Amino acid sequence: MKYKLYKTGKNLVSGAFIVAGLTLSAITGTGIVANADGEATQNPSIVKTQITDGLQSNGAGLVYYESGSMVKNKWEAIGDKTYYFGSDGQALSGLQMISTDSGSPQKYYFGSDYTLQKNTTFTINNQTYQADSNGFVSILEGLVTNNQGKSFYVNGQKVTSQWETVDGNIFYFGSDGQAVTGLQTIGNQQYYFGTADGTDKYSLQTNFDMPINGVTYHADDQGQLKPKNGTIWGFGDSTTVGWNSYNDGSQSYDAYAAKNLGKLYRNTSAYSGTQIGNDMVWMTDQAVTDNNFSQVTELVIGMGVNDINFGDGKPLNTIAQIFQDSIRRLHAANPNMKIYVLLPQGDWWQGSNNETIGSDGFSMNQLRDMLTQVANSLGIQVINAGVVTDQNHTTTLPDGVHPTNAAYQAIGEKISNVIQNNPINNYHDTYQNYDLGNVSGYVNTLAGWRWLENGLVFTGFRYYMGTYYWFVNGARQNEGWRTAWGHLYYTNADGRAVQGIYNINGQNFNFGNDGTYYMRSSGYLYDGSSQNGGYRWYENGQLFTGFRNYMGTYYWFVDGVRQNAGWRQAWGYTYYTDDNGRAVSGTQFIDGKLYDFGNDGTFFERPLSGYIWDGSSQNGGYRWYENGQLFTGFRYYMGTYYWFIDGVRQNAGWRQAWGYTYWTDQDGRAVEGHQNINGQNYYFGDNGTFYLR
């Protein structure tokens, strides 16, 4: 067979190469060559090309060859993966519209690996799609179950914070688009989602009674929940919070009461450290605007102890006015609830007791009486738990204010008994004017007569009925020393400042007769202070700082108080007082050092130098000192030089000093002249210099 070629004398190129993305393979076999006449003849060494079928990769993606031809506009299943190759032969990716066999267009989604996606969801431009088992794609609509639970889609958009009804079941989808489950608060209402047996976790439950977290709820036909047995609202301080420092798992007494009665407990109005005087108004503001307050069936108010211990001077009348007015506002916000006033358990804070007058001028017992009076005037039930008593407060109220967990439980039992046995609301809105305004003077308050200044209890002297009286937190004090205006005063058993010569505990004091009442006396006087047996030194009625001669010696005082051992500076000199506060004299060892305070009755410290008896164990108790320090070296004494080491006079031996060599004899004196020492002659001069020549 002969073929005509376009070019003579050229062999076809053999080898493998790519043409338009096609793989060509070199195959050895019979080929056609041209002879000298340009005629074609067969040549076995000529290479034929062959295209490999199957999936191939090119610069643009994937292509597929079948029988040597590129597949176009066609589906191909390769293993468990499905591809579609478009009009250009490239495998498609992303969202695509492809005509079905019937000619109608259908959406499909191909992944980044070009494979058809099935049984999945995906989002494009904030719109969510789903692909079915055939890969048919549609915009996601309706209820969808996912790994997190259930979601609801409208036109591919996930519904959030919205109710939806599906096949008669009602769902609520939260801010994350997931159907909520269990007990939920939506808006101002509570709802429960999911059946009691757990077969359905997400649908709204209606028309049922169910215990949830220990509280029995009733759901109406709208699914709105209300505690079947009501809600207790705790209003108060740290005891309403249920706090203590004992790490015993304490809870509020109101929480225990609610548990006993199967009621819901809310402690939204429970804050540690709060007072009636300073905090009840804003706590009431907060409560009456709370969306849940209208559902409260019982309000338990328990506070007041902090007004006693940490108040800012408001008298009991002001506290009563705030208490009454706040209760009236609370009732007006929810007329159907029953209000209970729980009396404080007691006050033994830092050694006080229920009779101790606190910083607002009243005691715990007076506070309880006021709370009872206000509650009774409003027809409110008072709860006096009686769990904590004078006899057991160290175990029931260890820190003086906060109950133990066992005491909280017992108080809660008392509260629940009162609520159970007194179900009728007898409230009547009776107003009483308790407030005294900004009055100043000696006023009869709910806590008794108190001195007020601008409506607040006063501490200090006030002139009343011809003399001065001393008040503390408004209460007139009785007998005792008082300090005011830089002077010292004394009030008698009636609380009046005394004057003239007045005998106190067997000692006469001078308080003047000029209507000034302050003490003029001088000396070591008994004033009942906490130090040195109640004595302090006064000069003209003023507490004195410095030395005063007393019983034959000098004592050092600071603010009238006799000091004990220590160094003192006075009159330009230095002194030392011993453990009894007396100035020392003579030589004294202080902190291992010897000092000289003289023996002439002057007591001041002076330089200590010389051969001084200090009771040491050597040389008869004498040692040499220089400025109070034990001395090492030569010192001239009684006509010659002696050698000392740490103050101790040494005996026979060689000595080095001032660059010379010396010898001291057995008495410690430096020798001179010719001396035989250990069989050898030495010369130490005869001019009083004593050194070896």
Side-chain angles (χ1 to χ4, degrees), residues 554 575 584-586 596-606:
Y554 282 90
Y575 302 81
V584 300
S585 62
D596 181 16
F597 295 92
N599 290 296
D600 55 359
T602 57
F603 302 98
F604 63 83
E605 189 253 337
R606 59 213 70 196

Side-chain angles (χ1 to χ4, degrees), residues 16 29 91 157 202 217 297 320 368 374 400 466 482 541 693:
Q157 300 288 324
Y202 303 102
Y217 287 86
T297 53
R368 285 171 164 173
V374 173
R482 317 297 175 193
R693 272 72 169 172

